[in-house]
Amino acid sequence: MSAAGDRTTDWLRARPGRIVLVGAFGFIGSAFKRRLERDGVPFECATRIDPVRPGDPVSVVIDCAGNASKVLAARDPDADRRANVDAVRERIETLRPEHYVHLSSSAVYADVSTPDATAPVDEPDGDVGPYGAHKREAERIVRAGVPTPLVLRPAGLFGPGLAKGPVYDLLEGLRPWVAPTSRMQLVDVDAFAARALALIRDGGTFNAVPDAATCLETALPGEAAAQTRLASGDALPELDFAIAASAFADDGGTRRFRAFAQDYVRCESRAEVRVFLLAGGRGTRLGGDVPKPAVDVGGRALAACVLEPFERAGYDRFYALLGHRAEDVLAALEAGLGRRHVDRFVESEPIGTGGAVLAALARTPKPHALVINGDTLYDGFDPERLVKHHVRAGAIATLLVSPVDDASESGRVAVAPDGRVTAFDEKAHTGRGLVYAGCIAIDRERFVERLGGTFGPPGAASLERELLPALIATGDLHAHVVPDLRFIDAGTPDGLQRARAFVAERDARERRA
């Protein structure tokens, strides 16, 4: 650590009040969390489900929450105001901190193409859209309500957990919405967090950009060429950022970006993941003669509807873990998935979900696996984000976790600030909380090595009641928290009815799109 880093850590540790990190599980919030943990600085995480608890006065608030989408702001300005203006005002009035880190945006500037138009003044002028206008208003609230505010205006960030934007689209091979020839001022998110912590003491307003812009096409020519082909001659806007740099000028720029891109492509290939579906259940809660995975939901088998987000993410080979009436379930799956390939593992005798997973993992050469409950439906879930989080965390297993208002119908999960799961209770608590959302990313070799000798055949074992608690006990189970995940447990009569309405709504929206 540099001398500046030492001084920052010492100053933060010496603060008499508490340090609160809001939005700790998001892309930028996770970077602050990593840095604070690395430097041994005590802090609290605040989320919608777990707000700041009463206690000693709050000295520092690092606010990484709010809406970060200009598209959503344009579509629903009132919702954007609630997230980016009203929420900031409420946090300041409730917590009354001495120092407040506010993540604003370069969208406060009407013109980002010249340094002269983007000097980091308190009141930028010119017409901007709803997102930029709300960011300006939030900045004024922070400056008026906090003794020492720190306002940061990033233009583009990259790093662990990246999940949207032109860089993400480029690396994922998605259809672009800006020209691959665009020039962007990109900052590594971990370097951004480290520099921001060093600026908290004195505060101020800063453009969080490097001196030099990175041309996406020059940095990643192969990916840019692929995006150009996808665009099919569409006229795409070309971004050309030349924002005046301040405090973040020496960031390593293009060199860091290329290193991140290479690591991203190396670690996160779909070809290295096998998808397993737990489809051996009898469906006793549902009643009737049809096996639960084959129950009709919107004209398709329930299990086929469960796998649709994974199909859309590019997975085309699935491994069904079957038991009760295996042939009927397999036929329903293949009918629902068209020509997608479905392998099978059939229990000759009941060995539980944990036993089935261990036996199936031992038969695949792939380094990673996604294990999915056969009765959990998703809307808007991106499996790749779970895989990326899992690989970067270096975990043996990573749960998909989301906050809900009533945790009584799902397994409640307790997550430590470093992302490790500290408790997992099957449907034991009512009220708000983080819950397990039915999907697990697994490091195959380490999972089998750690648990196979204890829980493997011929003994039966439950995944949720035995295998996962064993990983919690050794600190090897992590969580990937998705704050806005939509999912439904279709394993009960009431849940099945909600699932049918859920799928009908999802299908109708996709037809309109």
Side-chain angles (χ1 to χ4, degrees):
M1 188 187 302
S2 67
D6 284 330
R7 289 193 297 272
T8 297
T9 299
D10 291 343
W11 178 80
L12 286 171
R13 283 175 172 163
R15 303 304 304 154
R18 295 181 292 165
I19 298 173
V20 175
L21 175 58
V22 184
F25 295 107
F27 171 48
I28 300 176
S30 294
F32 278 99
K33 184 159 74 74
R34 285 191 296 271
R35 186 70 189 198
L36 291 168
E37 288 169 351
R38 196 199 82 166
D39 291 351
V41 178
F43 67 99
E44 302 173 26
C45 294
T47 67
R48 179 172 60 87
I49 294 298
D50 292 311
V52 180
R53 295 174 177 81
D56 294 333
V58 173
S59 176
V60 178
V61 171
I62 303 171
D63 190 352
C64 301
N67 172 48
S69 170
K70 297 176 186 177
V71 174
L72 292 180
R75 184 184 304 158
D76 192 343
D78 290 339
D80 185 70
R81 170 180 286 279
R82 289 193 295 273
N84 286 340
V85 178
D86 297 344
V88 170
R89 180 185 291 108
E90 181 179 352
R91 279 190 279 274
I92 291 174
E93 292 175 351
T94 301
L95 301 177
R96 300 186 179 279
E98 181 181 350
H99 299 265
Y100 194 99
V101 180
H102 175 64
L103 300 188
S104 188
S105 168
S106 60
V108 299
Y109 298 116
D111 177 10
V112 296
S113 63
T114 68
D116 290 342
T118 53
V121 295
D122 287 353
E123 294 288 342
D125 55 17
D127 295 333
V128 293
Y131 182 78
H134 292 156
K135 286 294 187 182
R136 287 179 178 177
E137 186 175 353
E139 286 186 5
R140 290 194 291 270
I141 291 170
V142 172
R143 292 192 189 94
V146 179
T148 311
L150 173 61
V151 175
L152 302 174
R153 297 169 178 165
L157 298 167
F158 63 88
L162 180 70
K164 64 180 179 180
V167 171
Y168 177 78
D169 294 343
L170 186 72
L171 293 171
E172 286 290 321
L174 302 176
R175 190 178 184 86
W177 56 273
V178 300
T181 52
S182 293
R183 293 171 51 81
M184 300 182 65
Q185 287 168 286
L186 301 171
V187 173
D188 178 282
V189 70
D190 287 306
F192 168 81
R195 184 65 180 131
L197 292 176
L199 295 171
I200 292 176
R201 182 172 187 171
D202 296 326
T205 298
F206 301 95
N207 292 334
V209 299
D211 279 324
T214 296
C215 175
L216 301 182
E217 184 178 54
T218 302
L220 298 172
E223 289 81 357
Q227 271 206 331
T228 300
R229 289 192 294 271
L230 278 175
S232 302
D234 292 347
L236 298 173
E238 185 176 71
L239 306 181
D240 189 10
F241 281 81
I243 297 172
S246 58
F248 290 79
D250 184 18
D251 173 63
T254 300
R255 175 184 55 79
R256 281 183 185 246
F257 174 60
R258 283 179 173 151
F260 162 75
Q262 290 170 1
D263 182 64
Y264 186 102
V265 173
R266 177 181 59 80
C267 289
E268 294 150 10
S269 170
R270 294 174 181 82
E272 298 301 306
V273 180
R274 177 61 64 88
V275 180
F276 293 86
L277 179 72
L278 295 171
R282 291 178 174 271
T284 53
R285 292 183 297 170
L286 292 177
D289 297 328
V290 180
K292 179 170 63 173
V295 168
D296 181 84
V297 177
R300 302 181 297 285
L302 169 60
C305 293
V306 169
L307 289 174
E308 285 178 1
F310 300 86
E311 283 193 285
R312 286 194 293 271
Y315 298 99
D316 60 2
R317 192 179 185 96
F318 304 103
Y319 207 128
L321 308 187
L322 305 172
H324 177 61
R325 294 177 59 179
E327 294 302 323
D328 293 338
V329 174
L330 187 63
L333 261 175
E334 290 178 336
L337 294 174
R339 293 188 294 176
R340 301 288 185 181
H341 192 77
V342 181
D343 290 324
R344 74 184 79 180
F345 170 79
V346 182
E347 302 174 7
S348 57
E349 59 184 41
I351 56 175
T353 52
V357 168
L358 284 168
L361 288 174
R363 298 184 181 191
T364 177
K366 301 300 182 185
H368 299 285
L370 287 171
V371 177
I372 317 157
N373 285 356
D375 55 7
T376 304
L377 292 166
Y378 303 99
D379 187 13
F381 171 45
D382 181 359
E384 281 296 281
R385 294 181 65 179
L386 171 59
V387 173
K388 293 167 192 172
H389 182 98
H390 168 70
V391 171
R392 287 183 172 132
I396 290 181
T398 302
L399 297 181
L400 176 66
V401 172
S402 187
V404 297
D405 291 328
D406 182 6
S408 63
E409 297 184 1
S410 304
R412 187 161 186 161
V413 180
V415 182
D418 66 356
R420 295 177 192 272
V421 176
T422 58
F424 179 81
D425 299 321
E426 271 199 307
K427 305 176 183 178
H429 300 278
T430 59
R432 298 190 304 171
L434 293 172
V435 301
Y436 168 50
C439 186
I440 309 173
I442 289 174
D443 181 309
R444 183 194 66 83
E445 182 175 355
R446 294 162 64 206
F447 189 89
V448 173
E449 179 183 344
R450 178 65 56 85
L451 300 172
T454 304
F455 297 104
S462 165
L463 179 63
E464 296 185 8
R465 289 192 296 273
E466 295 175 84
L467 270 61
L468 297 184
L471 291 177
I472 291 173
T474 57
D476 292 314
L477 185 63
H478 285 238
H480 172 52
V481 181
V482 181
D484 54 355
L485 180 67
R486 291 190 66 206
F487 67 101
I488 285 183
D489 176 3
T492 65
D494 178 63
L496 182 59
Q497 292 303 315
R498 288 187 287 120
R500 286 172 172 148
F502 184 84
V503 169
E505 177 192 345
R506 187 177 72 183
D507 290 350
R509 187 174 62 253
E510 290 176 358
R511 284 194 297 271
R512 289 194 299 270

